[in-house]
Amino acid sequence: MINIAAIEHYLPEKVLTNSDLEKEFPEWNAAKINAKIGIDVRHVAGENETSLDLAFKACQKLFKNYDKSNIDFILFCTQSPDYFLPTTACMLQDKLELPKKTGALDFNLGCSGFVYGLALAKGLISIGLAKNVLLVTAETYSKFLDKEDKSNRSIFGDAAAVTIVEKDDSKADFQFSVGTDGSGFENLIVKNGASRFGKSDDATLFMNGPEIFNFTIENIPGLVEDTLSKNSLTMEDIDLFVFHQANSYMLNYLRKKCKIPEDKFVIDMKNSGNTVSATIPIALESALRNGKIKSGSKVLIAGFGVGYSWAAGIIEF
Amino acid sequence: MNTQTFLEKLQDELEEDNTLTLETKFKELENYDSMSVLSLIAFIDESFDKSLDTKHFKDISTVQELMELIGSENFED
């Protein structure tokens, strides 16, 4: 049904290392904490660098090996858009000089965004509105982080990933599984700056990490089971599991809880951190490069977080 | 689970060198930090198949109080 034809990503130049954090917060055991969350470096967008800019640079890398004239639809997933309006995807169409017949829309999801994006791309392809979708997952959470918020500054990194989803009838028609629990909306939130609380310079991100962990423990093992059974597959049929790279401690626990063997489970966030909706494509891209994913590999992907929102699916490479 | 096993497992989970007692205060532990709460959540889920409402976490100071939150029915002694 669909094929992932290409993936690229771009990380902003500026980096925040563990020793940078140690210097800023000498009383804090940054080394130990970062060993637990599995992150050495996170990249931070420059003051005038936005999600659109990161996405554009990722596209420039992508187009070295992919003919952009194939693209007929842009799906842009971000929670840190350049403007409330217009739509970031529209500006990207112009920047990339794609034809005016290109479809374009933004959607606002966090860590579940990439999987949702694939499902949406599949939908667009199924109804015949698109053949080659450019799925962008780009995020600059750093702009929402308080300078003093060492925990979230340790976890989140900025990035853009771009993925080409194309129609391919030689691939199996795998089904997606999604879920929502909006009752957890306040546990990962940027409260100020939008309509509910009006204008404010203080648009900072709040995350209740322990509650988010509880939510994943409660929902993700079931999501994996549901996705397998929907597709009449078992654990053994899957060659690789790529979950949203939230932090390595949480991932290791989820892996154990889902009973996934260690060698089939990807933890790959050391050099980029939790880049929200970009973590899965970044991890897929590196698994493709290092041969963990081969032609014919079946990969189960699962994204979960802010909303709460979660989604999983199976990709055949 | 009996209390002794619980204390040993908890010590292991929190990566502490010193033996824990019922009176041990979490915040006074050498290695206690923001990640320790995640360790507690994972440990309690794994051992008791129980999810703790994190709202209660800030009221917990000692190991004994954590055990009360888990529920006495989960301990044999």
Tab-separated table of all heavy atoms in Angstrom, chain A residues 124-161:
chain	number	residue	atom	x	y	z
A	124	LEU	N	-4.503	9.776	2.369
A	124	LEU	CA	-4.481	10.663	1.194
A	124	LEU	C	-4.188	9.864	-0.075
A	124	LEU	O	-4.772	10.125	-1.132
A	124	LEU	CB	-3.413	11.744	1.374
A	124	LEU	CG	-3.703	12.781	2.468
A	124	LEU	CD1	-2.461	13.610	2.771
A	124	LEU	CD2	-4.860	13.693	2.054
A	125	ILE	N	-3.303	8.899	0.061
A	125	ILE	CA	-2.956	8.055	-1.094
A	125	ILE	C	-4.155	7.159	-1.456
A	125	ILE	O	-4.499	7.006	-2.631
A	125	ILE	CB	-1.671	7.236	-0.784
A	125	ILE	CG1	-0.462	8.189	-0.769
A	125	ILE	CG2	-1.477	6.110	-1.795
A	125	ILE	CD1	0.824	7.592	-0.227
A	126	SER	N	-4.817	6.633	-0.417
A	126	SER	CA	-5.965	5.731	-0.650
A	126	SER	C	-7.105	6.419	-1.393
A	126	SER	O	-7.764	5.804	-2.224
A	126	SER	CB	-6.532	5.213	0.668
A	126	SER	OG	-5.549	4.544	1.370
A	127	ILE	N	-7.356	7.690	-1.071
A	127	ILE	CA	-8.467	8.373	-1.744
A	127	ILE	C	-8.034	8.983	-3.077
A	127	ILE	O	-8.810	9.669	-3.744
A	127	ILE	CB	-9.140	9.455	-0.851
A	127	ILE	CG1	-8.144	10.551	-0.467
A	127	ILE	CG2	-9.775	8.828	0.382
A	127	ILE	CD1	-8.793	11.802	0.112
A	128	GLY	N	-6.774	8.776	-3.423
A	128	GLY	CA	-6.287	9.231	-4.726
A	128	GLY	C	-5.913	10.692	-4.792
A	128	GLY	O	-5.702	11.240	-5.872
A	129	LEU	N	-5.815	11.340	-3.631
A	129	LEU	CA	-5.473	12.762	-3.626
A	129	LEU	C	-3.964	12.977	-3.720
A	129	LEU	O	-3.499	14.059	-4.065
A	129	LEU	CB	-6.026	13.407	-2.349
A	129	LEU	CG	-6.113	14.920	-2.286
A	129	LEU	CD1	-6.871	15.501	-3.478
A	129	LEU	CD2	-6.783	15.370	-0.986
A	130	ALA	N	-3.205	11.954	-3.372
A	130	ALA	CA	-1.741	12.091	-3.421
A	130	ALA	C	-1.099	10.770	-3.825
A	130	ALA	O	-1.687	9.697	-3.632
A	130	ALA	CB	-1.225	12.525	-2.054
A	131	LYS	N	0.089	10.887	-4.379
A	131	LYS	CA	0.882	9.691	-4.705
A	131	LYS	C	2.199	9.678	-3.936
A	131	LYS	O	2.697	8.636	-3.547
A	131	LYS	CB	1.191	9.653	-6.206
A	131	LYS	CG	0.031	9.200	-7.070
A	131	LYS	CD	0.541	8.811	-8.468
A	131	LYS	CE	-0.582	8.279	-9.353
A	131	LYS	NZ	-1.482	9.387	-9.801
A	132	ASN	N	2.755	10.878	-3.729
A	132	ASN	CA	4.041	10.998	-3.023
A	132	ASN	C	3.938	12.120	-1.996
A	132	ASN	O	3.943	13.298	-2.349
A	132	ASN	CB	5.166	11.311	-4.006
A	132	ASN	CG	5.331	10.214	-5.049
A	132	ASN	OD1	5.874	9.154	-4.770
A	132	ASN	ND2	4.826	10.465	-6.244
A	133	VAL	N	3.854	11.717	-0.737
A	133	VAL	CA	3.636	12.697	0.324
A	133	VAL	C	4.959	13.029	1.008
A	133	VAL	O	5.727	12.122	1.375
A	133	VAL	CB	2.645	12.145	1.373
A	133	VAL	CG1	2.455	13.142	2.521
A	133	VAL	CG2	1.305	11.801	0.728
A	134	LEU	N	5.213	14.322	1.172
A	134	LEU	CA	6.355	14.772	1.976
A	134	LEU	C	5.842	14.966	3.405
A	134	LEU	O	5.052	15.874	3.671
A	134	LEU	CB	6.902	16.099	1.432
A	134	LEU	CG	7.961	16.799	2.293
A	134	LEU	CD1	9.251	15.996	2.396
A	134	LEU	CD2	8.263	18.196	1.740
A	135	LEU	N	6.256	14.062	4.296
A	135	LEU	CA	5.848	14.160	5.699
A	135	LEU	C	6.971	14.829	6.487
A	135	LEU	O	8.071	14.294	6.585
A	135	LEU	CB	5.557	12.758	6.254
A	135	LEU	CG	5.356	12.649	7.771
A	135	LEU	CD1	4.188	13.506	8.248
A	135	LEU	CD2	5.136	11.191	8.179
A	136	VAL	N	6.662	16.005	7.040
A	136	VAL	CA	7.646	16.749	7.818
A	136	VAL	C	7.292	16.644	9.294
A	136	VAL	O	6.133	16.855	9.674
A	136	VAL	CB	7.646	18.248	7.418
A	136	VAL	CG1	8.702	19.010	8.208
A	136	VAL	CG2	7.850	18.412	5.925
A	137	THR	N	8.259	16.295	10.100
A	137	THR	CA	8.057	16.343	11.558
A	137	THR	C	9.175	17.229	12.095
A	137	THR	O	10.331	16.827	12.123
A	137	THR	CB	8.124	14.924	12.176
A	137	THR	OG1	9.242	14.212	11.620
A	137	THR	CG2	6.873	14.130	11.884
A	138	ALA	N	8.822	18.451	12.484
A	138	ALA	CA	9.841	19.431	12.858
A	138	ALA	C	9.438	20.135	14.145
A	138	ALA	O	8.297	20.566	14.297
A	138	ALA	CB	10.013	20.461	11.744
A	139	GLU	N	10.386	20.245	15.056
A	139	GLU	CA	10.022	20.780	16.366
A	139	GLU	C	11.171	21.577	16.974
A	139	GLU	O	12.334	21.186	16.853
A	139	GLU	CB	9.650	19.599	17.275
A	139	GLU	CG	8.622	19.890	18.314
A	139	GLU	CD	7.274	20.349	17.744
A	139	GLU	OE1	6.428	19.513	17.395
A	139	GLU	OE2	7.084	21.572	17.685
A	140	THR	N	10.825	22.704	17.565
A	140	THR	CA	11.806	23.497	18.323
A	140	THR	C	11.251	23.762	19.723
A	140	THR	O	10.939	24.892	20.077
A	140	THR	CB	12.112	24.847	17.623
A	140	THR	OG1	10.874	25.560	17.446
A	140	THR	CG2	12.775	24.653	16.275
A	141	TYR	N	11.130	22.698	20.514
A	141	TYR	CA	10.648	22.848	21.891
A	141	TYR	C	11.567	23.757	22.703
A	141	TYR	O	11.140	24.326	23.698
A	141	TYR	CB	10.575	21.480	22.587
A	141	TYR	CG	9.250	20.750	22.502
A	141	TYR	CD1	8.351	20.973	21.463
A	141	TYR	CD2	8.892	19.799	23.474
A	141	TYR	CE1	7.150	20.272	21.394
A	141	TYR	CE2	7.696	19.101	23.419
A	141	TYR	CZ	6.826	19.336	22.373
A	141	TYR	OH	5.651	18.639	22.315
A	142	SER	N	12.838	23.886	22.294
A	142	SER	CA	13.788	24.708	23.079
A	142	SER	C	13.231	26.117	23.286
A	142	SER	O	13.510	26.751	24.295
A	142	SER	CB	15.142	24.776	22.382
A	142	SER	OG	15.048	25.553	21.208
A	143	LYS	N	12.419	26.573	22.327
A	143	LYS	CA	11.871	27.926	22.442
A	143	LYS	C	10.842	28.032	23.578
A	143	LYS	O	10.486	29.123	23.998
A	143	LYS	CB	11.246	28.359	21.116
A	143	LYS	CG	12.296	28.469	20.007
A	143	LYS	CD	11.751	29.031	18.733
A	143	LYS	CE	12.719	28.871	17.581
A	143	LYS	NZ	13.982	29.637	17.736
A	144	PHE	N	10.342	26.897	24.039
A	144	PHE	CA	9.354	26.887	25.127
A	144	PHE	C	9.985	26.595	26.491
A	144	PHE	O	9.290	26.531	27.494
A	144	PHE	CB	8.303	25.795	24.886
A	144	PHE	CG	7.517	25.948	23.605
A	144	PHE	CD1	7.187	24.822	22.851
A	144	PHE	CD2	7.086	27.182	23.162
A	144	PHE	CE1	6.450	24.938	21.687
A	144	PHE	CE2	6.351	27.305	21.994
A	144	PHE	CZ	6.027	26.179	21.248
A	145	LEU	N	11.298	26.322	26.507
A	145	LEU	CA	11.899	25.859	27.756
A	145	LEU	C	12.465	27.007	28.577
A	145	LEU	O	13.170	27.868	28.053
A	145	LEU	CB	13.004	24.837	27.479
A	145	LEU	CG	12.550	23.566	26.748
A	145	LEU	CD1	13.733	22.626	26.556
A	145	LEU	CD2	11.431	22.852	27.496
A	146	ASP	N	12.151	26.981	29.866
A	146	ASP	CA	12.713	27.952	30.799
A	146	ASP	C	14.208	27.657	30.953
A	146	ASP	O	14.613	26.507	31.058
A	146	ASP	CB	12.001	27.789	32.151
A	146	ASP	CG	12.343	28.899	33.117
A	146	ASP	OD1	13.542	29.101	33.401
A	146	ASP	OD2	11.410	29.543	33.602
A	147	LYS	N	15.008	28.712	30.987
A	147	LYS	CA	16.462	28.549	31.108
A	147	LYS	C	16.843	27.744	32.352
A	147	LYS	O	17.833	27.022	32.380
A	147	LYS	CB	17.117	29.933	31.153
A	147	LYS	CG	18.382	29.993	30.319
A	147	LYS	CD	18.981	31.372	30.307
A	147	LYS	CE	20.463	31.377	29.952
A	147	LYS	NZ	21.274	30.225	30.129
A	148	GLU	N	16.032	27.904	33.417
A	148	GLU	CA	16.332	27.224	34.679
A	148	GLU	C	15.806	25.785	34.735
A	148	GLU	O	16.047	25.072	35.703
A	148	GLU	CB	15.717	28.014	35.849
A	148	GLU	CG	16.291	29.405	36.047
A	148	GLU	CD	17.799	29.359	36.273
A	148	GLU	OE1	18.245	28.534	37.085
A	148	GLU	OE2	18.525	30.143	35.616
A	149	ASP	N	15.065	25.392	33.715
A	149	ASP	CA	14.434	24.062	33.727
A	149	ASP	C	15.427	23.015	33.232
A	149	ASP	O	15.411	22.585	32.084
A	149	ASP	CB	13.183	24.102	32.830
A	149	ASP	CG	12.410	22.796	32.865
A	149	ASP	OD1	12.884	21.825	33.505
A	149	ASP	OD2	11.328	22.744	32.243
A	150	LYS	N	16.307	22.593	34.158
A	150	LYS	CA	17.388	21.695	33.759
A	150	LYS	C	16.875	20.337	33.286
A	150	LYS	O	17.445	19.743	32.367
A	150	LYS	CB	18.404	21.531	34.889
A	150	LYS	CG	17.792	21.295	36.263
A	150	LYS	CD	18.859	21.444	37.342
A	150	LYS	CE	18.351	21.060	38.709
A	150	LYS	NZ	17.534	22.087	39.361
A	151	SER	N	15.794	19.847	33.873
A	151	SER	CA	15.296	18.520	33.481
A	151	SER	C	14.867	18.504	32.026
A	151	SER	O	15.311	17.664	31.242
A	151	SER	CB	14.102	18.109	34.347
A	151	SER	OG	14.462	18.155	35.693
A	152	ASN	N	13.988	19.431	31.670
A	152	ASN	CA	13.502	19.430	30.288
A	152	ASN	C	14.581	19.852	29.292
A	152	ASN	O	14.591	19.372	28.156
A	152	ASN	CB	12.257	20.308	30.153
A	152	ASN	CG	11.037	19.611	30.731
A	152	ASN	OD1	10.885	18.396	30.591
A	152	ASN	ND2	10.191	20.365	31.419
A	153	ARG	N	15.487	20.718	29.737
A	153	ARG	CA	16.589	21.080	28.830
A	153	ARG	C	17.510	19.895	28.591
A	153	ARG	O	18.184	19.814	27.572
A	153	ARG	CB	17.357	22.285	29.380
A	153	ARG	CG	16.597	23.599	29.140
A	153	ARG	CD	17.358	24.796	29.644
A	153	ARG	NE	18.605	25.005	28.934
A	153	ARG	CZ	19.664	25.645	29.461
A	153	ARG	NH1	19.592	26.118	30.693
A	153	ARG	NH2	20.758	25.807	28.761
A	154	SER	N	17.559	18.961	29.546
A	154	SER	CA	18.367	17.744	29.360
A	154	SER	C	17.721	16.795	28.373
A	154	SER	O	18.406	16.041	27.691
A	154	SER	CB	18.517	16.984	30.683
A	154	SER	OG	19.106	17.783	31.641
A	155	ILE	N	16.406	16.803	28.347
A	155	ILE	CA	15.674	15.798	27.574
A	155	ILE	C	15.435	16.228	26.127
A	155	ILE	O	15.732	15.486	25.192
A	155	ILE	CB	14.328	15.480	28.281
A	155	ILE	CG1	14.622	14.643	29.523
A	155	ILE	CG2	13.377	14.741	27.341
A	155	ILE	CD1	13.424	14.304	30.346
A	156	PHE	N	14.920	17.440	25.942
A	156	PHE	CA	14.438	17.809	24.604
A	156	PHE	C	15.525	18.406	23.714
A	156	PHE	O	16.358	19.190	24.167
A	156	PHE	CB	13.266	18.788	24.712
A	156	PHE	CG	12.023	18.169	25.279
A	156	PHE	CD1	11.561	18.511	26.536
A	156	PHE	CD2	11.327	17.202	24.545
A	156	PHE	CE1	10.416	17.918	27.065
A	156	PHE	CE2	10.188	16.609	25.072
A	156	PHE	CZ	9.733	16.969	26.334
A	157	GLY	N	15.478	18.036	22.447
A	157	GLY	CA	16.355	18.615	21.436
A	157	GLY	C	15.516	19.044	20.246
A	157	GLY	O	14.410	18.542	20.042
A	158	ASP	N	16.045	19.980	19.472
A	158	ASP	CA	15.333	20.454	18.282
A	158	ASP	C	15.783	19.657	17.055
A	158	ASP	O	16.944	19.253	16.972
A	158	ASP	CB	15.619	21.940	18.045
A	158	ASP	CG	15.134	22.811	19.209
A	158	ASP	OD1	14.218	22.366	19.926
A	158	ASP	OD2	15.675	23.921	19.383
A	159	ALA	N	14.884	19.479	16.128
A	159	ALA	CA	15.230	18.733	14.909
A	159	ALA	C	14.093	18.821	13.904
A	159	ALA	O	12.953	19.155	14.251
A	159	ALA	CB	15.477	17.262	15.228
A	160	ALA	N	14.431	18.512	12.666
A	160	ALA	CA	13.402	18.295	11.644
A	160	ALA	C	13.739	17.006	10.918
A	160	ALA	O	14.902	16.759	10.594
A	160	ALA	CB	13.379	19.450	10.659
A	161	ALA	N	12.716	16.195	10.685
A	161	ALA	CA	12.898	14.997	9.857
A	161	ALA	C	11.919	15.093	8.697
A	161	ALA	O	10.807	15.630	8.853
A	161	ALA	CB	12.641	13.740	10.668
